[in-house]
Amino acid sequence: SETVLKLDLRLPSSVIFKYNSGQYVNISKGSIKRSYSISNAFKENSELSFYIKNYDEGQMSQYWFNEARVGDLLRIEGPKGSFFFRESNKKQLIFLATGTGIAPIIAILEDLISSQRINVLEKVWIFNGSRYEQDLIWNSDPLSNITQVEYIPVLSKPTKSWNGEVGYVQDILFSKNINLSESQVYACGSDKMIGSALSVLVENGFDSNSFYSDAFVATH
């Protein structure tokens, strides 16, 4: 979109960079370093993909959107973070994402599909929130043939032509009457969304030990 780009990094052919789908890395260009979630599942093909948001007056945004060229050399550190799928006896998964927070969730889903672990799940919900329709950066077509997956885009500032859900992902979640006791929740995106979602979930009897999150905080 106008505010988000997709970045692919190719690692040296001699390097196998192992990570859990959902984790992030730090990327450095000169003295500037920022954290970005990997948006593809681990494969031994030495490539990493990312969705990167343009922040006004952001130093790294200036590089990505105005200066970056194919073949630039960058330094990465990682993998980092504890946002990845946990095996459990829960038969349902709930993903909550805002903005580029959908990136690590795409990686987790890709891993679940390729490993066929998604076949043992009864239901998977993906609530993907943005302000405007053009900011829904992910095409969910790869999920179209997987019957147990329900993808629900949510806009907080829709146009009159929008026919989908309106509001915030955590609120739409509760409108679906999902059996939370049988679910794990993975939330990624704004810290405000994550805090609100966890608070309301716990108030409704949800076990916080089944809640995993990764908050995105803007850095200039």
Side-chain angles (χ1 to χ4, degrees), residues 3-203:
T3 58
V4 176
L5 61 76
K6 185 173 184 289
L7 168 71
D8 294 316
L9 295 185
R10 184 178 67 248
L11 300 176
S13 59
S14 60
V15 173
I16 297 178
F17 183 78
K18 293 186 176 181
Y19 59 93
N20 292 315
S21 298
Q23 288 188 294
Y24 70 92
V25 297
N26 291 332
I27 301 178
S28 299
K29 177 63 176 175
S31 62
I32 308 171
K33 180 168 64 177
R34 297 290 184 267
S35 299
Y36 301 102
S37 291
I38 304 168
S39 66
N40 60 307
F42 169 72
K43 296 177 183 176
E44 294 187 10
N45 62 1
S46 299
E47 286 193 4
L48 304 176
S49 295
F50 307 84
Y51 289 103
I52 296 177
K53 181 177 175 58
N54 189 6
Y55 289 99
D56 292 339
E57 301 181 4
Q59 289 180 295
M60 202 65 162
S61 291
Q62 170 65 23
Y63 166 70
W64 293 127
F65 284 82
N66 300 305
E67 301 169 7
R69 296 293 182 268
V70 173
D72 281 1
L73 294 178
L74 302 166
R75 181 182 297 275
I76 67 170
E77 301 173 7
K80 296 178 178 290
S82 57
F83 189 72
F84 48 83
F85 176 71
R86 266 73 166 189
E87 299 285 352
S88 80
N89 59 0
K90 307 287 187 182
K91 293 298 184 181
Q92 300 180 154
L93 291 182
I94 299 168
F95 293 105
L96 302 174
T98 55
T100 53
I102 193 66
I105 291 172
I106 295 171
I108 293 173
L109 286 166
E110 187 179 306
D111 187 42
L112 290 174
I113 293 169
S114 64
S115 67
Q116 298 187 349
R117 286 181 291 179
I118 200 166
N119 295 335
V120 303
L121 297 170
E122 294 176 354
K123 187 74 175 183
V124 178
W125 285 271
I126 306 161
F127 297 88
N128 185 18
S130 290
R131 289 185 178 180
Y132 309 104
E133 186 172 0
Q134 62 265 31
D135 295 326
L136 291 169
I137 56 175
W138 181 48
N139 183 340
S140 62
D141 287 351
L143 304 175
S144 59
N145 294 325
I146 304 175
T147 57
Q148 67 266 49
V149 175
E150 184 172 349
Y151 175 71
I152 303 172
V154 182
L155 298 183
S156 60
K157 295 186 177 181
T159 61
K160 292 181 179 179
S161 62
W162 175 250
N163 295 318
E165 299 286 357
V166 175
Y168 299 99
V169 289
Q170 63 270 30
D171 297 328
I172 302 303
L173 160 62
F174 283 99
S175 73
K176 300 300 181 181
N177 297 316
I178 299 171
N179 183 355
L180 297 175
S181 66
E182 293 296 325
S183 304
Q184 281 186 317
V185 177
Y186 293 82
C188 188
S190 74
D191 52 351
K192 183 177 180 181
M193 177 276 286
I194 290 171
S196 174
L198 179 58
S199 177
V200 178
L201 282 164
V202 171
E203 287 174 5

